């Protein structure tokens, strides 16, 4: 928590420190717990929220980026993969797919990009499905397991 780290550096030694927190949502529990330095409450609430939303550490995330010189082709490849995924896994609570959506940088050097996010707690099943679909051999798809960003 950056608030706690910042506060810990303020006022070291003989000179008292002051921390000013600027936020679009100062009422946010995370901001309030940071100000109070209540690590346990932050941890418990964050863990509860992540469980409810099926976020790590309760799942793994796979980011698929479909790219092509033609935007409609990239989007269609992503749509077809999602359709196959939904047909195969149905409403399985262990596997969820989001998208397709334009990537944060939608077009880079004339290549259009669309992404899908898969959330799963059974990575082996997803890996097998992607292999069976030949996704690892498709030069127009980038696969990132446990990505640092989802954009």
């Amino acid at each position: 928590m950056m608030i706690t780290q910042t506060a810990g550096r303020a006022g070291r030694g003989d000179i008292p420190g002051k921390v000013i927190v600027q936020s679009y949502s100062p009422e946010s529990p995370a901001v309030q717990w940071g100000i109070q330095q209540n690590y346990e409450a932050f941890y418990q609430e964050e863990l509860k929220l992540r469980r409810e939303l099926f976020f790590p550490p309760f799942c793994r995330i796979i980011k698929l980026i479909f790219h092509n010189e033609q935007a409609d082709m990239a989007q269609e490849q992503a749509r077809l993969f999602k359709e196959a995924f939904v047909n195969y896994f149905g409403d399985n609570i262990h596997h969820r797919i989001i998208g397709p959506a334009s990537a944060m940088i939608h077009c880079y050097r004339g290549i259009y990009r669309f992404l899908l996010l898969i959330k799963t707690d059974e990575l082996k099943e997803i890996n097998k499905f992607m292999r069976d679909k030949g996704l690892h051999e498709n030069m127009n798809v980038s696969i990132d397991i446990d990505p640092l960003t989802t954009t």
Side-chain angles (χ1 to χ4, degrees):
M1 293 176 56
M2 297 302 288
I3 295 170
T4 301
Q5 289 178 342
T6 302
R9 284 166 175 64
R12 289 186 174 179
D14 297 335
I15 302 169
K18 183 177 185 179
V19 176
I20 298 171
V21 177
Q22 181 177 356
S23 171
Y24 285 114
S25 49
E27 70 286 345
S28 160
V31 172
Q32 292 300 313
W33 289 321
I35 291 168
Q36 297 166 19
Q37 297 189 13
N38 188 341
Y39 318 109
E40 186 62 29
F42 171 77
Y43 173 78
Q44 292 303 326
E45 186 62 28
E46 186 68 17
L47 211 54
K48 178 183 163 201
L49 186 61
R50 286 176 170 272
R51 182 179 286 116
E52 290 171 4
L53 296 175
F54 196 49
F55 277 1
F58 302 100
C59 78
R60 307 283 297 274
I61 295 179
I62 303 163
K63 178 170 67 172
L64 303 174
I65 300 178
F66 293 81
H67 39 87
N68 197 298
E69 291 176 353
Q70 298 176 6
D72 57 338
M73 287 292 292
Q75 187 173 22
E76 182 66 5
Q77 287 177 329
R79 188 194 67 74
L80 288 173
F81 180 83
K82 179 179 183 174
E83 184 178 293
F85 183 96
V86 170
N87 288 338
Y88 186 84
F89 291 110
D91 288 334
N92 187 325
I93 63 168
H94 299 281
H95 312 299
R96 301 176 189 170
I97 190 164
I98 303 163
S102 294
M104 175 78 81
I105 301 173
H106 178 61
C107 184
Y108 180 72
R109 294 187 179 183
I111 305 294
Y112 294 89
R113 304 162 3 120
F114 287 85
L115 62 89
L116 291 172
L117 292 178
I118 298 172
K119 299 192 312 187
T120 183
D121 58 2
E122 297 173 355
L123 186 59
K124 285 184 182 180
E125 283 187 43
I126 300 298
N127 281 338
K128 181 183 180 321
F129 175 76
M130 291 191 303
R131 268 193 308 278
D132 291 349
K133 293 294 174 194
L135 213 59
H136 63 293
E137 297 170 341
N138 186 336
M139 297 303 290
N140 290 330
V141 180
S142 301
I143 303 169
D144 190 354
I145 298 175
D146 297 326
L148 294 178
T149 67
T150 56
T151 56

